[in-house]
Structure formats: C-alpha cells, structure tokens
Amino acid sequence: MKYDSWDEYQNGVKPELSGYKSAKFAVNDDLDIHPHGDLLWATATIKEEMTTKAGKIEMGNFRWTVVFEIRTASGSSVHEHVSEPIQ
C-alpha cells in the first residue's frame, strides 16, 4: 500500500482495519534513533497483537522506520514506513 495524501491514507486504511476490534503495538528493545540537524530518523521492530471481530488473535512483528523534522516544539513526522517480514 502506498498513499500520496492523508485522504488516500484514510480511504485505504479504513477497509484494511474494518475486520478488527482491537490492536496493541509495542516497540521492541531494538529502537535506534539517529539525530541529524533538524531531522531525526529512527528504526525499530514493533510487536503487534490484533484481535479480529470474530475473536481470532493475530500476533507478529513488523519493521518500522520514521523520519521527523523539527518544525514546531513537538516536531512533525514527515515520512513513515512499515513492512512485515516474509513468513
């Protein structure tokens, strides 16, 4: 999935998540943060536990990369990528 706007993201994610009633995500102990001027990029793996509306629990890990740019006191995410390893 690839989205070029917030509208595309919202329209694409809703159908993907409509079959779930809950989700829990936790950053694993491999978080690596790289500051560089007004940018900061980070990588980690994320543990996921999602429960379908039918009650099935799905568990796994995915890779996460994010880039932040300091635009305000709290910063702004300017890019995010997630991928799931092939099982």
Side-chain angles (χ1 to χ4, degrees):
M1 293 178 276
K2 179 181 178 287
Y3 307 108
D4 292 317
S5 69
W6 284 111
D7 288 337
E8 283 184 20
Y9 177 80
Q10 184 177 15
N11 292 332
V13 169
K14 277 185 181 179
E16 289 293 322
L17 299 179
S18 66
Y20 294 92
K21 65 179 180 179
S22 68
K24 296 177 188 176
F25 302 96
V27 177
N28 293 319
D29 64 359
D30 59 353
L31 175 64
D32 202 2
I33 299 172
H34 309 274
H36 182 76
D38 286 347
L39 297 174
L40 177 146
W41 61 279
T43 59
T45 56
I46 307 291
K47 178 182 175 183
E48 65 169 310
E49 182 178 310
M50 298 177 72
T51 305
T52 67
K53 288 182 179 175
K56 179 182 175 190
I57 297 174
E58 300 175 353
M59 299 173 64
N61 283 281
F62 61 87
R63 296 180 195 95
W64 178 57
T65 303
V66 64
V67 177
F68 290 99
E69 181 178 8
I70 308 304
R71 296 181 179 173
T72 65
S74 61
S76 296
S77 173
V78 293
H79 177 78
E80 182 177 35
H81 175 80
V82 296
S83 63
E84 187 172 0
I86 297 174
Q87 301 292 330

